Amino acid sequence: APPSESLTLTAENVSWMCQVAQAAQLVFPWMDDEQLHNMETSEANAEAQEKEEEEEDWQFHSDAHAHIGKRARMLVENDYWEDGTVVGYLPPEPEEPMALWRVRVDVAKPSTSRAVSSAANERNEDMEEHEIEEALARLV
C-alpha cells in the first residue's frame, strides 16, 4: 500500500518509492541503474536525516548526567545478561516527561579471524530511570 503522507520525504515513503521503482524497472526496462541508484541514495539520506532529528535532544557529553560513563548490566528477555556503558542522556520535556539513558552494549569479540565492522555490530539500549538504576546497581 502506498504511504499516506505521499508528499513528505520520510524513510518509509522513500523506501516505498524504491520498491515501486524496482518493480517499474521490470516493466519499463528503459529506467537505468543510475535513476534507481539515485532513488536508493535518497532513501538512505532520508533515514539518516530521521535518525539525526531523533537524536537532536540527546546529550552525550560527560557532564550531561552523572550516569554517563558508568557501566551497566541488563537482563535481556529474561534469558541472559549484557553489559554496556552509559553514553547518552535525554532529559525530560513537557511533551515527553520521562528521561532516558542510552547504553551502548558491549560488542562480543568475533570467534573467527575475519574482520567485522564494529559499527555494524554496535547496538544501543534506551532505558527509563528505574531500568538504568537497576542496571547500574548490578555492577556496584
Side-chain angles (χ1 to χ4, degrees), residues 17-39:
M17 289 187 295
C18 285
Q19 291 171 4
V20 170
Q22 289 170 345
Q25 193 171 25
L26 295 173
V27 178
F28 304 105
W30 50 263
M31 179 180 262
D32 63 17
D33 288 339
E34 184 178 347
Q35 290 170 313
L36 186 58
H37 173 73
N38 289 342
M39 290 191 79

Side-chain angles (χ1 to χ4, degrees), residues 37 70 75 80 97 123 131:
H37 173 73
K70 292 185 177 178
L75 180 59
Y80 60 95
R123 188 168 61 79
E131 295 170 321

